[in-house]
Amino acid sequence: MPDAGVITITGLTKSFGDNIAVDDLHLEVRRGELFGLVGPDGAGKTTIMRLLAAIMSPDSGEAWIAGSSILHEGERIKEKIGYMSQRFGLYEDLTVMENIIFYADLYEVSKKERPARIERLLGFSNLTPFKGRLAGKLSGGMKQKLGLACALIHTPEVLFLDEPTNGVDPVSRRDFWRILYDLLKEQVTIFVSTAYLDEAERCTRIGLIHKGRLITTDTPAKVRKSIPLSMVEIWAPDARKAAEAAKGMAGVKDVSVYGNRFHVALAEVGLTDRIIEQLKEKGIAVIDHRQVLPSLEDVFIHIVRSSEL
Amino acid sequence: MKLVRIKAIAKKESIQIIRDPYSLAMAFLMPVMLLFIFGYAITLDVDNLPTVIYDRDKSSMSRDLVAQFRESHYFTIVAYADDQADIDKYIDAGKARVAISIPEDFSKNVATGSDAPIQVAVDGSDSNTATIALGYIAAISDQYSRRVGKSLAVPAIDPRVRIWYNPELKSRNFIVPGLIAVIMAIIAALLSSLTISREWERGTMEQLISTPVKPPELIIGKLSAYFVIGFIDVLMAALIGIYLFDVPLKGSPLLLMMFSSLFLFGGLGLGVFISASAKSQLLASQVSLITSYLPALLLSGFMFSIPNMPAPLQLITHIVPARYFVTMLKSVYLKGGTLKLLIFETAALAIYGVITFALANKRFRKRIE
């Protein structure tokens, strides 16, 4: 298998009743990538994760994970991947160590390699002092790190993480991502789903997904530039009212409010001054404004809104 | 199949049971409670029937007859009535189940050797008890007649009955062995029916099926943990039966444990099958109770004799595994039954076990639907 595609997805489709959760997905992820599947809740991220981990069967389409087909070689895939479900999937009534040993047994990690590997996993996840603690008594962040440790016990080629930092505090989130970067150095391919756009920015490549459809795939920087948007950030005492006023103006494609400031997406670069003037004419106070690069969030909101039109 | 995975699942399951007080109580406390409740409450023996006596003769002979009743442990005399209305009062109020009235000319009749009728009234609202009571009354008066009325003709047939296997005719001696079957059926199905549905409910199954673990490894691992519990339960029930309820174990204890294991295997297999089919714990436990406990109680021959059932029900009992197990238990306990004698039942349970295990294995899927 060439390095080109550790994950190759062609035409993957899955629906539940009338609801199409994954719609004709095509994607290729290379070895050593940290690929982020980005989208709002209900976009179909979890379904994609489950299909790729071979714990759910697609309606049509096919995917190969590390050279094995999800349709015909599901059990071989399970030996090569680590999977972390969105909901905490370990045993809360078992201790940290008991959970790790349980998964080491299931993955048949040899007795010889085991001690060193467990020690290393406990070390990088800072769980060593909590070896004897029941998993149910861990904090959210520590639970996720334990989940990661269990998913890594057999040194998988590909790691599937379904919204691993959902509901985790910011410090633990950063910790978690630091661990993922360390893993990348070991040539593990990481396929992570997230609804957080700041996390998406940290991926080597992202796929924006909305209503089961993959809208765009590229590096975060290129995704940002892919949309011909000129973005201006405007500070105003009453940002909400100002944003409301800006919405109807000519050349304004999109407006999103962030507290005391708001972003206006413009069809052309030169429109900024005219917008500010028009706001003043309407008697709306503007404190300051500046040209900004559209954030992923801007792009994403723009894409979602325009796809809904 | 890999032994290391089976062992890992069994170990994990055992730790979970031990750490969960609720599971522990269900595994070890419930069977003992059931044994006590059923062991003390279900007794089909009729004794100490409250009896009212209306003795109009008031002779030494009538007192002698009454003494016969009193001395048998079947009747307890609760009152002596003064008139017929008194008797009705006791029976109506439920204070007495049996009324015996002895007419004025009783002693005279006995002395002259003519018929000496006595009147007996039995509360028929519990027909089973009433029938048994009438039998006792007939037997006691017959004995009395023979003792006092030498002039009475000796009956042409004089049966000398010998009761085999349960010479004292104690119902407890066959209830306790039967109970072991009922308790095993409940425990096996209830314990195991939760094991897979619980993992789906708690979200641990999704993680588990993403590993290379194979369905038979998972099922055998889980079964073996519950098997140990069931085995301990059988042992406890047998010991309580022998030492507390004085139920003699005539046959081989080893054979008893062997048969119980065989029955447990099938019962646990059924539980796991139900658990794999129903993804909620509530549904799984309901279904398992209906499919294991009720048939074990009603259709196994434990409480109701199978030959007395209507033909369609009799047919159904053939697919109730407890039926075979009850036969085995009664045989081993009371008759000292051997494997050779019970080979048909052994085969039936073995087949049942293999079928439920195969079903459980087939039903469990490593996929989310």
Side-chain angles (χ1 to χ4, degrees):
Chain A
M1 196 69 198
D3 267 10
V6 174
I7 301 173
T8 305
I9 306 169
T10 55
L12 209 56
T13 301
K14 174 81 182 175
S15 37
F16 302 99
D18 292 336
N19 174 29
I20 302 174
V22 182
D23 192 357
D24 193 29
L25 180 72
H26 293 262
L27 186 64
E28 183 122 348
V29 177
R30 289 179 297 276
R31 188 173 300 274
E33 272 197 282
L34 200 175
F35 188 89
L37 198 59
V38 184
D41 289 343
K45 302 191 296 293
T46 294
T47 306
I48 294 172
M49 286 288 176
R50 287 173 169 171
L51 292 172
L52 297 183
I55 56 171
M56 191 183 262
S57 304
D59 296 340
S60 59
E62 168 71 298
W64 286 268
I65 313 295
S68 302
S69 146
I70 62 160
L71 294 181
H72 311 293
E73 298 164 296
E75 294 308 300
R76 286 208 57 195
I77 289 176
K78 287 171 186 176
E79 288 168 14
K80 298 189 233 179
I81 64 160
Y83 170 76
M84 220 175 116
S85 56
Q86 185 175 0
R87 187 172 160 198
F88 183 63
L90 299 178
Y91 299 96
E92 303 212 331
D93 40 4
L94 260 55
T95 65
V96 167
M97 201 58 174
E98 285 164 347
N99 268 301
I100 293 177
I101 289 176
F102 176 64
Y103 277 92
D105 283 338
L106 292 190
Y107 284 112
E108 296 179 88
V109 177
S110 75
K111 294 266 186 249
K112 212 175 74 202
E113 288 177 66
R114 203 177 280 197
R117 222 181 266 187
I118 291 177
E119 196 182 332
R120 207 176 70 89
L121 288 171
L122 285 174
F124 84 65
S125 56
N126 295 326
L127 281 171
T128 314
F130 307 105
K131 267 194 286 199
R133 185 177 288 193
L134 290 180
K137 298 252 154 67
L138 296 175
S139 71
M142 283 203 280
K143 275 184 184 171
Q144 292 313 91
K145 281 190 257 181
L146 175 59
L148 189 61
C150 287
L152 287 171
I153 189 74
H154 56 304
T155 47
E157 284 181 54
V158 187
L159 191 55
F160 289 100
L161 307 172
D162 192 5
E163 296 200 40
T165 56
N166 199 4
V168 170
D169 68 89
V171 177
S172 302
R173 265 171 70 188
R174 193 185 306 181
D175 262 10
F176 194 88
W177 278 85
R178 182 182 49 75
I179 297 171
L180 294 189
Y181 279 124
D182 287 344
L183 285 173
L184 277 188
K185 290 178 201 150
E186 296 168 32
Q187 285 295 296
V188 179
T189 308
I190 303 175
F191 193 93
V192 62
S193 75
T194 182
Y196 296 119
L197 290 140
D198 59 322
E199 287 188 351
E201 303 263 10
R202 301 176 194 223
C203 297
T204 54
R205 217 151 56 90
I206 56 170
L208 293 186
I209 182 155
H210 182 57
K211 291 189 175 170
R213 299 190 69 94
L214 188 65
I215 296 166
T216 180
T217 327
D218 220 322
T219 62
K222 282 192 182 151
V223 167
R224 261 187 264 124
K225 285 182 203 147
S226 67
I227 316 287
L229 277 183
S230 161
M231 192 65 84
V232 62
E233 187 172 60
I234 302 173
W235 275 267
D238 191 347
R240 192 160 294 278
K241 190 177 153 209
E244 209 50 52
K247 239 178 209 168
M249 294 173 188
V252 172
K253 298 197 80 166
D254 199 17
V255 177
S256 353
V257 182
Y258 304 94
N260 60 350
R261 64 203 159 90
F262 62 103
H263 285 187
V264 181
L266 299 168
E268 289 163 48
V269 182
L271 291 171
T272 310
D273 292 341
R274 226 176 69 202
I275 298 292
I276 299 295
E277 227 159 86
Q278 278 180 300
L279 281 174
K280 283 178 181 161
E281 277 169 22
K282 290 195 170 184
I284 292 164
V286 170
I287 299 167
D288 197 5
H289 69 91
R290 67 177 173 120
Q291 201 72 28
V292 290
L293 270 177
S295 70
L296 263 186
E297 195 158 347
D298 295 321
V299 174
F300 191 72
I301 289 168
H302 174 78
I303 290 173
V304 167
R305 291 217 177 125
S306 44
S307 77
E308 275 168 357
L309 287 177
Chain B
M1 279 208 288
K2 292 282 166 56
L3 195 63
V4 60
R5 292 205 193 113
I6 296 175
K7 269 163 67 183
I9 304 259
K11 193 174 129 201
K12 175 225 109 184
E13 207 74 26
S14 315
I15 295 175
Q16 286 188 302
I17 296 165
I18 289 166
R19 294 210 179 129
D20 177 22
Y22 189 76
S23 294
L24 261 189
M26 201 153 84
F28 298 113
L29 212 60
M30 198 170 82
V32 175
M33 268 173 52
L34 285 171
L35 197 65
F36 273 78
I37 293 169
F38 281 108
Y40 281 116
I42 303 183
T43 162
L44 303 176
D45 298 337
V46 173
D47 49 10
N48 295 322
L49 276 171
T51 304
V52 56
I53 303 281
Y54 180 27
D55 183 1
R56 278 184 286 179
D57 190 34
K58 292 198 172 36
S59 64
S60 64
M61 280 204 174
S62 65
R63 276 195 295 276
D64 194 18
L65 176 67
V66 172
Q68 296 288 312
F69 280 97
R70 194 172 47 226
E71 279 156 22
S72 80
H73 58 92
Y74 304 122
F75 302 96
T76 301
I77 294 164
V78 291
Y80 289 89
D82 295 327
D83 50 42
Q84 189 63 39
D86 228 17
I87 289 181
D88 294 349
K89 217 171 66 196
Y90 278 103
I91 301 264
D92 286 348
K95 283 182 185 153
R97 307 285 289 275
V98 179
I100 298 170
S101 59
I102 304 169
E104 280 156 356
D105 51 2
F106 176 74
S107 53
K108 200 181 84 198
N109 285 338
V110 172
T112 58
S114 45
D115 278 357
I118 57 171
Q119 191 197 42
V120 177
V122 179
D123 177 357
S125 55
D126 177 353
S127 62
N128 201 27
T129 306
T131 313
I132 294 169
L134 284 177
Y136 289 150
I137 292 165
I140 289 171
S141 25
D142 190 46
Q143 251 176 13
Y144 180 83
S145 309
R146 266 191 246 172
R147 198 158 55 81
V148 298
K150 290 199 181 79
S151 55
L152 279 177
V154 177
I157 298 169
D158 179 14
R160 298 288 163 97
V161 179
R162 193 186 143 208
I163 295 155
W164 280 22
Y165 306 132
N166 186 7
E168 300 152 88
L169 278 179
K170 284 203 315 204
S171 64
R172 186 170 280 163
N173 285 358
F174 68 84
I175 283 182
V176 169
L179 257 184
I180 294 181
V182 175
I183 292 170
M184 284 307 100
I186 303 177
I187 291 297
L190 255 192
L191 282 179
S192 57
S193 70
L194 299 181
T195 180
I196 289 177
S197 48
R198 178 165 48 214
E199 295 226 28
W200 281 114
E201 262 182 31
R202 292 191 183 165
T204 51
M205 190 55 91
E206 184 169 348
Q207 197 63 51
L208 201 54
I209 59 174
S210 76
T211 72
V213 71
K214 293 183 176 59
E217 292 167 346
L218 184 73
I219 288 169
I220 294 174
K222 280 176 176 284
L223 277 188
S224 35
Y226 291 107
F227 189 82
V228 172
I229 294 175
F231 200 78
I232 294 172
D233 286 342
V234 177
L235 213 59
M236 284 196 316
L239 290 177
I240 290 174
I242 292 168
Y243 292 106
L244 206 71
F245 292 131
D246 291 323
V247 177
L249 173 59
K250 279 218 183 113
S252 135
L254 203 71
L255 202 60
L256 174 71
M257 294 322 276
M258 205 189 93
F259 289 154
S260 304
S261 307
L262 204 56
F263 179 68
L264 265 179
F265 179 61
L268 290 170
L270 176 72
V272 174
F273 169 64
I274 292 169
S275 195
S277 310
K279 281 185 182 170
S280 91
Q281 292 190 63
L282 185 68
L283 183 66
S285 62
Q286 302 283 323
V287 173
S288 70
L289 271 186
I290 290 168
T291 52
S292 62
Y293 170 63
L294 288 183
L297 193 65
L298 303 175
L299 298 175
S300 65
F302 159 57
M303 290 197 56
F304 306 106
S305 156
I306 294 172
N308 292 346
M309 290 176 189
L313 271 188
Q314 281 194 39
L315 217 60
I316 293 174
T317 62
H318 286 286
I319 56 163
V320 175
R323 173 207 163 120
Y324 305 104
F325 191 40
V326 165
T327 307
M328 290 162 130
L329 284 168
K330 282 185 181 170
S331 171
V332 172
Y333 258 93
L334 299 171
K335 303 183 191 172
T338 59
L339 180 61
K340 212 171 140 191
L341 281 171
L342 295 164
I343 197 72
F344 169 70
E345 284 79 7
T346 310
L349 282 193
I351 291 169
Y352 180 75
V354 170
I355 291 175
T356 57
F357 179 75
L359 280 176
N361 210 24
K362 201 168 148 51
R363 191 71 193 85
F364 177 71
R365 302 203 167 276
K366 282 184 73 183
R367 299 263 170 173
I368 298 170
E369 271 137 44

